[in-house]
Amino acid sequence: MKKIFSILCSIITISFCKAQITSYELATVPENVKKNAAVIKRAETIVFDVKDIDKAYLNIEKTFTVTNETGKKELMFQEFSNKYRELTDAEIKVFDAAGKQTAKYKKSDMSTVANGEGLIEEGKITYFVVTTTNYPITVQFKYELKFKGTLNYPAYEIQSASEGVEHSSFTARVPKDLDLRYKESNIKLAPEITTDDKYKTYKWAVNNLAPIEYEEGTVSYSGRYPTIILAPNRFKLYDYDGDLSSWKNFGSWENGLIQGLNVLPEERKQFFTALVKEAKNDREKIKLVYDYLQKNFRYVSIQLGIGGYKPFPASFTDQKKYGDCKGLSFYTHAVLNALGIKSYVALINAEYNKEPVDPNFPCNQFNHMILCIPQKKDSIWLECTSNTNDFAVLGNFTENRNALLITENGGVLVPTPKSKSSDNVFNAMTRIKLEGDGSGKTETVLNTSGEYKQDMVNYLFNEKKDDQKYVIVNYYGFKQPDEFNVEKIEEGNKFVTNLNMSIEKIPEFVAGSKMFLTPRMYKIWSMKLPKSENRRLDYYFECPFEKTDTTVFKLPEGYTADALPVEKNIKCEYGSYDSKYWYSATDKSVYSTAKLVLTQHKIPAAKYAGVKTFFDDVLKEDAQRIVIKKE
């Protein structure tokens, strides 16, 4: 009897395995799920198990099929570990198109490297790449993460671009006295909730989701695709208990971490007192301190101890002359405190296309720290990691967000400034001496501010000669020079640059006695915006801006204007473009002027089609030609 039972079990097991392998074949996938899919999530089970306020486990088993080369990035397994989270186990299985297992890898087969660029580092990344030249290929990732703190609950990332989903589920099990909060993003999906004597369990599940088309220029990943965001009410991190049920309470936790760290040696206090003694008011004092910071300190990424939340003491940063965002911001706060000026460090989510954190959903989505100095009329905001930012200018990295001020009374969520088009200016004035053989010399004066000033400093003046040429041609869109010279001639809120070039062939082409010239030596706008049909997500430019150009062509002896482009005035809800062309017989020169303004960097999806049409029209206008001919 036992023998018959054993044989029967073996048959059932073999049948079950065969069914599982057969299910990997694409023929079994519903048509709506696999149509236009680069990746198909076949089966995914995620279980987040919170054992206590300082202990949790995340178990993931995910089987997916990569259908073509476009989806190959999914074949990389990668997980980050530090003192807070640990990859305890991992396994990868690989199956061919017929469902036959062709490879198996364990954690010991994977590579582990230190993570980050800091002088002090404790994190590491474990990774493995499944290589293939044959598609489709099916892969199974199975791994566990152990958390020794519970500040950051994992999000349930349901679907990404070009990914179909057959089945996926996420279960969160948490002690009833802790509970959790959740927020839906780009999906309406209610959980199934059950309780027992000790735990409360939330389960989300989806089946047969059609792929979502990738859209360029959208918000950063966390706000782009269907996601359930989770957050704790109470948490513990590195022996520090905290409350995240309100922004005020979260700020109180962070404030507790920085107590007693803002003490500077007495001689350094005296140094800064002497540094600002001639300043007429607090604003001048703050600017002097910021200038000193930019010239004498440098940014490094440091992940140590409580990892991103507790800065080193101000005395440490002062001695080493380096720090990460929290170290440099807190150091500046300590200096100002020594001078009797009130300031607050502030947590913020940084990157030009980040959505502001939700005021109604307290959750740790921050990745950066800046400094705020309240004033009677307005606050002064400082980006303490930058050696090039203008004083009191944040830039697109952190502007137009919600920052959490860490005050003595807890956290206060406040908006950061929003830049205007007039804050980001690119103004070009070019004079061209054109020769009869088509060669010429150009003199361009560039007045830049805001993001364009940062570009000049970061991408042009810090580069070697060959790299400067690459930036001039490929980034700014100037004609390829044979010889050139770049000179920085003034600094301040406006940044002035001289660019002199010798160019062998200035006309686009020559036909008989005529030369066909581009309206200016660079492209005032060169980017073709993504398609507008069925746009689902808002589009992000890097910043609002104002670009103006005046180009003067001094014609060769014996030449005159033959045909000039038609004057243009193009408008949309968020932008305008104006151009004008004329010939001066007095100085034998053709004049070209243009002005392009974008008033808002975030374009709602519903308004995007009009903006795309506007920039398409600008591209067409910029493609017109000035025609000159021999008299």
Side-chain angles (χ1 to χ4, degrees), residues 287-303:
K287 187 177 187 307
L288 286 169
V289 170
Y290 189 63
D291 289 344
Y292 175 82
L293 179 79
Q294 288 187 307
K295 292 172 182 176
N296 294 279
F297 288 72
R298 62 192 175 95
Y299 168 80
V300 296
S301 176
I302 301 174
Q303 314 296 328

Side-chain angles (χ1 to χ4, degrees), residues 40-93:
I40 302 170
K41 194 181 290 184
R42 314 300 298 275
E44 178 180 58
T45 303
I46 305 172
V47 178
F48 180 55
D49 193 1
V50 180
K51 298 295 187 182
D52 206 340
I53 194 171
D54 61 351
K55 184 187 294 185
Y57 294 87
L58 181 67
N59 284 276
I60 297 176
E61 184 172 333
K62 178 174 70 172
T63 303
F64 58 95
T65 299
V66 178
T67 64
N68 55 52
E69 188 81 6
T70 303
K72 71 175 183 179
K73 64 182 184 297
E74 297 298 325
L75 296 175
M76 171 178 271
F77 173 85
Q78 179 175 285
E79 279 298 334
F80 173 72
S81 298
N82 58 13
K83 290 183 180 179
Y84 166 67
R85 55 182 277 163
E86 177 189 0
L87 178 66
T88 59
D89 194 20
E91 180 184 85
I92 297 174
K93 292 180 181 179

Side-chain angles (χ1 to χ4, degrees), residues 174-453:
V174 61
K176 287 196 295 186
D177 62 327
L178 296 179
D179 208 353
L180 59 77
R181 291 168 294 111
Y182 68 89
K183 176 187 174 183
E184 300 163 328
S185 178
N186 295 309
I187 194 170
K188 292 292 184 183
L189 184 65
E192 176 187 330
I193 303 174
T194 57
T195 59
D196 58 26
D197 291 342
K198 187 177 179 181
Y199 291 96
K200 192 171 184 178
T201 302
Y202 298 76
K203 183 176 181 180
W204 292 266
V206 294
N207 295 286
N208 297 332
L209 301 182
I212 299 172
E213 185 177 2
Y214 173 72
E215 294 180 351
E216 292 183 49
T218 60
V219 69
S220 58
Y221 188 90
S222 60
R224 192 182 303 180
Y225 303 114
T227 303
I228 305 296
I229 302 169
L230 305 183
N233 292 310
R234 294 190 295 117
F235 65 90
K236 193 170 187 177
L237 186 66
Y238 291 110
D239 298 325
Y240 291 85
D241 287 69
D243 187 316
L244 193 49
S245 61
S246 71
W247 293 118
K248 183 178 186 298
N249 290 344
F250 185 47
S252 293
W253 177 77
E254 177 69 25
N255 188 54
L257 299 182
I258 63 179
Q259 291 305 301
L261 300 179
N262 64 345
V263 179
L264 289 171
E266 190 60 36
E267 65 271 18
R268 295 299 286 164
K269 292 181 183 178
Q270 293 174 10
F271 169 83
F272 285 109
T273 300
L275 179 70
V276 303
K277 67 180 181 180
E278 301 297 332
K280 297 175 183 178
N281 52 45
D282 280 356
R283 186 178 184 87
E284 288 188 10
K285 292 179 182 179
I286 298 164
K287 187 177 187 307
L288 286 169
V289 170
Y290 189 63
D291 289 344
Y292 175 82
L293 179 79
Q294 288 187 307
K295 292 172 182 176
N296 294 279
F297 288 72
R298 62 192 175 95
Y299 168 80
V300 296
S301 176
I302 301 174
Q303 314 296 328
L304 186 70
I306 201 165
Y309 303 99
K310 185 175 183 177
F312 282 100
S315 57
F316 175 91
T317 305
D318 184 77
Q319 179 186 10
K320 299 297 184 182
K321 298 297 186 289
Y322 64 72
D324 61 4
C325 63
K326 61 185 182 295
L328 295 173
S329 296
F330 188 71
Y331 175 72
T332 310
H333 157 77
V335 172
L336 295 178
N337 182 65
L339 297 173
I341 300 173
K342 193 76 172 178
S343 67
Y344 299 109
V345 293
L347 296 172
I348 197 164
N349 58 333
E351 194 56 60
Y352 81 90
N353 61 348
K354 287 275 190 181
E355 282 287 288
V357 295
D358 185 349
N360 300 313
F361 188 75
C363 179
N364 181 41
Q365 294 179 295
F366 304 114
N367 63 353
H368 192 51
M369 183 177 280
I370 55 179
L371 189 68
C372 177
I373 304 102
Q375 301 286 281
K376 289 182 179 179
K377 292 185 177 180
D378 202 359
S379 296
I380 296 172
W381 293 86
L382 299 180
E383 173 54 74
C384 298
T385 63
S386 173
N387 297 113
T388 58
N389 270 37
D390 288 329
F391 172 69
V393 176
L394 287 179
N396 64 7
F397 196 55
T398 53
E399 68 184 11
N400 198 27
R401 308 292 157 72
N402 291 324
L404 186 67
L405 299 188
I406 309 304
T407 78
E408 57 275 10
N409 297 314
V412 180
L413 204 64
V414 297
T416 60
K418 180 179 181 181
S419 71
K420 307 180 293 295
S421 56
S422 58
D423 294 324
N424 304 295
V425 173
F426 186 94
N427 185 315
M429 171 66 194
T430 302
R431 295 186 180 278
I432 304 164
K433 189 176 186 305
L434 184 61
E435 302 294 342
D437 62 358
S439 65
K441 295 184 182 296
T442 73
E443 296 179 356
T444 301
V445 178
L446 298 170
N447 282 268
T448 56
S449 66
E451 295 302 321
Y452 292 115
K453 175 190 171 183

